[in-house]
Amino acid sequence: MISLKECGKIEGVSEHCWQIGVSPDGQYLALVFADDQNSIKLCGLDGKVFKALEGHRGRVHSVSFGRDGRTIASASADKTVRIWAPTGNLLALFDRFDNGVETVSYAPDVPILAGGQSDGYIVLFDIGGNYIATLHSPKGRIYCMDWSYDSSYLAAACGDKKMYLFNVKAQMKSVYPHPAAVYGVSFTNSNGKLATSCEDSNVRLFNIAEDGMETVDVHQGRVVGISFSPDDSFVATASFDKTIRFFDRHGNSKGEYELGEQALGVKFSPDGNKLYVSTQERNLHVFEIEPQ
């Protein structure tokens, strides 16, 4: 079973940017604070700010580190995605969006990013800010996106009660209806499985190769954040029922933690030893993971 030990808390983070940016070496966080939602703050794990990335003219909704740690992407209500160096220098600006950008995600092994708009369109572009393609079909807000480990697939969690799975290389898509809005999606790092979190309080596990789906009833409130551990052995979920729960790839419970706050985002450190949880109460909790 999995247990958590809280080792830190950063207060005042924006509840509108609940997708937590963690550097590949696990030493730094990219956060948006409630008192300055147009800028990104690079922080240590203790919350001490050492650099501000400034330039957006609207609220920042999502922040993501590139896999090599050399770039940081931010998605904003100002209809842009900006790509930064950790030094604070702006490297590229992509502004070919028609509406506010809710989420941004790096492809793992190719220099491509995806930006998801508030109206459902998904735009692909490279790290130099050059347009590649637009993915159509979603009819609601794109809450979260994630790429498969080989960059072949892009999954999108959408407010129109569907999860969209785009086979980018084959230019095909599959649509998976849910009973309510889909808030989160997370791929494994190796074997073509993914999980979604839903407003109906359930989690769904998918196997791409078999086109199979399994529903796991784990919470008593909407499930927002979801993330596979780096070794793919278990999934962490964050819910409005004020708990963090863990289960394996087969849906078996691996433990839970009573947080006492409505949980939004959840993300593992790259080494799998820490868990970061953002909440509706504008806190970012840092936990050490203690397998038992």
Side-chain angles (χ1 to χ4, degrees):
M1 301 296 283
I2 306 298
S3 63
L4 298 178
K5 178 182 178 181
E6 187 160 8
C7 58
K9 183 172 75 171
I10 301 173
E11 299 179 345
V13 298
S14 171
E15 74 275 24
H16 299 289
C17 185
W18 47 268
Q19 296 174 43
I20 305 152
V22 182
S23 65
D25 62 5
Q27 298 302 307
Y28 305 105
L29 304 173
L31 303 175
V32 176
F33 287 85
D35 61 357
D36 184 11
Q37 298 190 60
N38 291 5
S39 68
I40 303 99
K41 303 296 195 304
L42 299 185
C43 311
L45 300 184
D46 58 358
K48 182 178 180 180
V49 177
F50 64 88
K51 180 65 66 174
L53 311 182
E54 300 177 332
H56 280 294
R57 298 182 179 181
R59 187 164 64 197
V60 177
H61 291 145
S62 175
V63 185
S64 179
F65 274 90
R67 189 173 186 178
D68 60 5
R70 296 180 180 179
T71 61
I72 302 163
S74 55
S76 171
D78 67 7
K79 304 180 183 180
T80 70
V81 167
R82 293 172 183 255
I83 301 174
W84 315 81
T87 58
N89 296 328
L90 181 65
L91 301 177
L93 169 67
F94 187 81
D95 59 1
R96 293 182 60 177
F97 293 100
D98 297 323
N99 284 282
V101 192
E102 299 291 337
T103 182
V104 62
S105 180
Y106 282 89
D109 63 353
V110 293
I112 294 175
L113 297 93
Q117 295 185 178
S118 57
D119 62 356
Y121 285 97
I122 299 169
V123 182
L124 305 182
F125 52 97
D126 67 23
I127 59 173
N130 301 299
Y131 172 83
I132 296 174
T134 300
L135 305 180
H136 301 274
S137 288
K139 304 299 181 184
R141 176 181 174 184
I142 305 295
Y143 283 101
C144 181
M145 296 183 297
D146 196 24
W147 293 83
S148 63
Y149 70 97
D150 60 358
S151 302
S152 295
Y153 291 90
L154 175 67
C158 189
D160 67 1
K161 304 181 182 180
K162 297 179 178 69
M163 185 270 285
Y164 294 85
L165 183 63
F166 298 92
N167 186 330
V168 178
K169 294 182 179 179
Q171 298 184 5
M172 298 173 62
K173 71 174 182 292
S174 300
V175 182
Y176 297 89
H178 286 56
V182 188
Y183 290 119
V185 61
S186 178
F187 269 100
T188 57
N189 289 315
S190 60
N191 57 14
K193 295 184 179 181
L194 69 155
T196 59
S197 58
C198 185
E199 190 173 20
D200 72 346
S201 80
N202 292 332
V203 167
R204 288 164 178 85
L205 303 175
F206 298 84
N207 187 318
I208 296 175
E210 300 175 1
D211 198 28
M213 183 188 77
E214 178 183 357
T215 300
V216 184
D217 184 4
V218 290
H219 285 284
Q220 301 300 315
R222 69 173 64 172
V223 192
V224 183
I226 188 165
S227 182
F228 271 99
S229 61
D231 64 1
D232 297 338
S233 61
F234 58 91
V235 180
T237 56
S239 172
F240 267 38
D241 68 7
K242 302 182 180 182
T243 67
I244 306 301
R245 296 178 188 257
F246 302 94
F247 55 94
D248 64 22
R249 290 179 293 174
H250 305 290
N252 301 309
S253 176
K254 300 292 289 183
E256 63 179 82
Y257 181 87
E258 295 287 340
L259 185 63
E261 299 177 31
Q262 292 180 321
L264 293 171
V266 59
K267 191 176 183 68
F268 288 93
S269 62
D271 61 10
N273 293 327
K274 288 186 173 60
L275 189 75
Y276 308 94
V277 180
S278 60
T279 71
Q280 187 74 14
E281 288 77 6
R282 298 181 174 178
N283 293 315
L284 178 70
H285 298 268
V286 183
F287 296 97
E288 292 181 353
I289 298 175
E290 300 180 323
Q292 296 180 346

